[in-house]
Amino acid sequence: MRLAGLALVIPAFPLLLVARLQLGAAFSVQAKASQLVTTGLYARIRNPIYVFGALLIAGAIIWAQRPVFLLVFLILIPLQIVRSRKEAQVLEAKFGDEYLEYKRKTWF
């Protein structure tokens, strides 16, 4: 199980860092639409920070062999979905058809 956890953590951590760096000045704790980032990891995944953050946490939980901590996902995943929908609304309001086309071509 520890190897399975590491198999998630090892790629997830650097990909999370890359996603954050690629987001650059567009990063914000609250949903805002300063620019639409559509390159790098964002060319395929609309929310790579959420995806790789969740994989990192899952890998750490599996590595620690504490399945009770998987309850974190009962809270984390719905919160991330709600947050991503709010961000999508803000981006769609600002960028309109450009965002809808980007959304059509990407996953989560």
Side-chain angles (χ1 to χ4, degrees), residues 19-28 30-40 42 46-47 87-88 90-96 98-99 102:
R20 172 55 188 93
L21 290 172
Q22 289 177 347
L23 194 55
F27 177 79
S28 174
Q30 293 184 331
K32 68 175 188 174
S34 59
Q35 67 186 61
L36 183 60
V37 178
T38 61
T39 59
Y42 291 85
R46 285 188 306 280
N47 299 289
E87 290 173 357
V90 170
L91 290 165
E92 185 178 345
K94 169 90 180 217
F95 299 105
E98 181 183 4
Y99 177 73
Y102 167 69

Side-chain angles (χ1 to χ4, degrees), residues 8-94:
L8 288 174
V9 168
I10 290 172
F13 183 68
L15 288 168
L16 176 65
L17 292 177
V18 167
R20 172 55 188 93
L21 290 172
Q22 289 177 347
L23 194 55
F27 177 79
S28 174
V29 175
Q30 293 184 331
K32 68 175 188 174
S34 59
Q35 67 186 61
L36 183 60
V37 178
T38 61
T39 59
L41 295 172
Y42 291 85
R44 300 279 182 229
I45 305 170
R46 285 188 306 280
N47 299 289
I49 289 177
Y50 297 159
V51 171
F52 297 122
L55 288 173
L56 179 69
I57 292 168
I61 291 169
I62 293 167
W63 177 85
Q65 298 180 356
R66 302 278 191 227
V68 70
F69 292 148
L70 288 173
L71 294 174
V72 169
F73 282 105
L74 292 177
I75 298 168
L76 177 69
I77 298 303
L79 287 176
Q80 297 297 53
I81 291 169
V82 167
R83 185 170 179 169
S84 69
R85 287 181 180 165
K86 173 64 177 163
E87 290 173 357
Q89 289 173 346
V90 170
L91 290 165
E92 185 178 345
K94 169 90 180 217

